[in-house]
Every structure is written in structure tokens, then in C-alpha cells.
Amino acid sequence: MEIATPIGSILERKGAAIWSVDPGDTVFNAIALMAERDVGALPVLKDGRLLGMISERDYTRKVVLLGRASRQTAVADIMRREFIVVSPQDTVQECMRLMTDNRVRHLPVMEGARMVGLISIGDVVNWIIGAQSTAIEDLEHFVTGAYPA
């Protein structure tokens, strides 16, 4: 199975589009962008620099449960300032371990100080399922003699 595949391969397949918010944006605008793009988290960027992450989980725990107003609360007030990043060379297996051990669902992918993508737990799981399907198909071809020489 292709667990040793670099995370950069997932970015190539899914595309490296990055939707982000500014720390001064309202939480309401961040949640609206998440809904529009069907994502669960966004990087918080200022002048191209990654400052934090904001997720639906942050919204529910730091706005809704505390009775704050999303239209008046700035992203900077609730974003996570501590986050784990990976590089395009890190493996799918390493990213899965980081996500599991640290209970995070999104990892910014960085090349030096530049963000080049965002990987979600769904991206990693889909990659693993695809690799497993390919391995099973290859084994079936091998067993039935249909495996290319």
C-alpha cells in the first residue's frame, strides 16, 4: 500500500487551492466561506504568512457555547495560534499519525514560510482507500493470471 507516498501527491491530485481568512475578518464571514467551499477549517493568513487556523469546532466551542456574536467576533479572537504543519515531502502515514496523535483534522502544508496547501483527514483517508483498492485489484489480477508481465 502507498502509505509512504508524499503528501505532495495528494495536493497534486486534489489541487492546491487555498481558501483563507484574515485575522480581522469576522467569524461569521469565516463560517460563510467554509459553508460556500464545503470545508471544515480555514488557515488564517496575513500578508501571506500563516498565523493560525479556524475550524467549525472553534466556532462552536468559542462562539456559540460562550454566547458570543459571530458577526462581531474577529477571527483573531478565536483562532488556534498553535498548529502542526507538514511539508509536501512528508508521507501519508506520517500525516495520519500526526492527525491521530494530536486530534486535528487539518494540516497546513508548508514549503519554508510559504503555505502551499491544506490537507484534511478526509484527503488522507481517501488516498488510503484508493491505495488499498489498487492493491486489491493488483492481487486479484496476480491470482487470476491477468497480472501484466
Side-chain angles (χ1 to χ4, degrees), residues 74-89:
V75 166
D77 293 341
I78 72 162
M79 71 182 189
R80 282 175 283 120
R81 296 173 193 278
E82 294 179 14
F83 45 87
I84 300 163
V85 300
V86 294
S87 77
Q89 294 77 34

Side-chain angles (χ1 to χ4, degrees), residues 5-27:
T5 299
I7 234 35
S9 296
I10 293 178
L11 288 180
E12 287 174 12
R13 186 176 77 186
K14 79 172 236 174
I18 301 171
W19 298 290
S20 65
V21 291
D22 184 89
D25 288 341
T26 65
V27 172

Side-chain angles (χ1 to χ4, degrees), residues 7 10-11 99 105-107 109 117-121 123-124:
I7 234 35
I10 293 178
L11 288 180
M99 289 174 163
R105 296 178 180 162
H106 301 86
L107 295 173
V109 182
L118 185 68
I119 296 295
S120 73
I121 190 81
D123 297 328
V124 172

Side-chain angles (χ1 to χ4, degrees), residues 51-70:
L51 300 179
M53 293 288 297
I54 182 172
S55 69
E56 294 166 332
R57 183 183 289 178
D58 296 318
Y59 169 69
T60 58
R61 293 179 181 183
K62 298 174 186 175
V63 176
V64 175
L65 287 177
L66 298 178
R68 296 169 105 172
S70 62

Side-chain angles (χ1 to χ4, degrees), residues 82-135:
E82 294 179 14
F83 45 87
I84 300 163
V85 300
V86 294
S87 77
Q89 294 77 34
D90 286 324
T91 65
V92 170
Q93 182 170 343
E94 177 64 9
C95 290
M96 181 63 89
R97 186 191 64 73
L98 285 169
M99 289 174 163
T100 302
D101 291 351
N102 294 285
R103 300 177 57 96
V104 296
R105 296 178 180 162
H106 301 86
L107 295 173
V109 182
M110 306 291 289
E111 282 186 336
R114 185 173 69 92
M115 187 173 174
V116 295
L118 185 68
I119 296 295
S120 73
I121 190 81
D123 297 328
V124 172
V125 168
N126 284 335
W127 185 270
I128 291 170
I129 289 169
Q132 287 175 338
S133 295
T134 299

